[in-house]
Amino acid sequence: MSSTLPNASQVGLPASDASSAAELASLTVRLRGALRQFPDFPSPGILFEDILPIFADPSLHEALIRSLELHIRANYDQKPDVIVGLEARGFLMGPSLALRLGASFVPVRKQGKLPGPCETQGYEKEYGQDFFQMQADSIKPGQKVLVIDDIIATGGSAYAGGELIKKMGGDLLGFIFLLELEFLHGRDKLPAPVYTLLSGQA
Ligand SMILES: O=P(O)(O)OC[C@H]1O[C@H](OP(=O)(O)OP(=O)(O)O)[C@H](O)[C@@H]1O
Ligand SMILES: Nc1ncnc2[nH]cnc12
Ligand SMILES: [Mg+2]
């Protein structure tokens, strides 16, 4: 699976629609250019990748969601039933992507935020540890699920989200990220195919 923005054939566009492919390629460059880096946040030694400028610009926001939609439509044989977003930044992309795909949106939340019976999974991430929860009836056995989040660093957060989905009998189709910090090899932890729109290298 490609780790860059898909070309015309990859996204199911006819070859003659090269202008769309060119537009998509230039959108990748714009998305990357919008990211900002903050050294030593939230703790010393961490270079924090700030994705929020993308959402401050409607054309970049549209480019991001459209690029992800095209990727999913072109690369998964089965339509996802459910998009699962990881709190908090996964909520910036998950609901709008789910709407575009005609899929449900289901949140993974940090512990203590969801009412009713929940499944719980502890995890470690690049700069801390936490617990994730999902409502126990939020995924039906056999539903096809895609997980979305902004960044994969160590992969700890995404792994925990995947474990929760598996506990409920969901069929994990894959994991989708805007950005991957490749030097942390987080994708090696994950039990389903991983796609990132942008790699961690400039
Ligand atoms: O691959 P990992 O090492 O697990 O790190 C990646 C996770 O870390 C951040 O979430 P965080 O919970 O820090 O912040 P958020 O609540 O703003 O999403 C980021 O949004 C990813 O979810
Ligand atoms: N370096 C980083 N920047 C932004 N979010 C992150 N989540 C985990 N590592 C991160
Ligand atoms: Mg997060």
Side-chain angles (χ1 to χ4, degrees), residues 46-50 89 125-127 150-151 153 181 184:
I46 302 295
L47 182 63
F48 190 87
E49 298 280 352
D50 181 18
R89 283 174 260 158
K125 61 185 170 184
E126 192 185 10
Y127 43 69
D150 63 332
I151 290 176
L181 305 187
L184 292 170

Side-chain angles (χ1 to χ4, degrees), residues 1-159:
M1 207 172 284
S2 169
S3 64
T4 55
L5 198 68
N7 63 31
S9 64
Q10 285 173 316
V11 299
L13 295 170
S16 59
D17 204 350
S19 63
S20 298
E23 184 190 348
L24 289 174
S26 80
L27 289 172
T28 312
V29 174
R30 291 183 60 217
L31 287 168
R32 165 163 296 292
L35 301 177
R36 299 186 300 185
Q37 290 76 36
F38 290 88
D40 299 319
F41 181 87
S43 50
I46 302 295
L47 182 63
F48 190 87
E49 298 280 352
D50 181 18
I51 63 158
L52 294 179
I54 290 174
F55 296 91
D57 178 332
S59 75
L60 287 176
H61 188 173
E62 167 62 27
L64 170 59
I65 301 302
R66 178 69 176 155
S67 302
L68 295 174
E69 177 195 355
L70 290 173
H71 170 77
I72 292 165
R73 287 188 185 282
N75 287 281
Y76 293 88
D77 298 335
Q78 302 161 297
K79 175 184 168 299
D81 300 307
V82 184
I83 301 293
V84 164
L86 307 184
E87 183 179 359
R89 283 174 260 158
F91 295 179
L92 295 172
M93 298 176 285
S96 41
L97 188 59
L99 262 185
R100 300 270 181 114
L101 295 167
S104 308
F105 175 76
V106 169
V108 166
R109 295 216 61 184
K110 289 170 185 167
Q111 191 167 38
K113 302 289 188 184
L114 288 169
C118 288
E119 298 285 356
T120 303
Q121 178 75 37
Y123 64 96
E124 278 188 43
K125 61 185 170 184
E126 192 185 10
Y127 43 69
Q129 50 192 31
D130 215 328
F131 290 87
F132 268 159
Q133 291 187 318
M134 293 179 80
Q135 287 178 310
D137 61 356
S138 59
I139 303 288
K140 307 284 176 279
Q143 279 192 311
K144 298 175 193 64
V145 183
L146 268 179
V147 176
I148 183 145
D149 203 4
D150 63 332
I151 290 176
I152 176 169
T154 66
S157 306
Y159 177 81

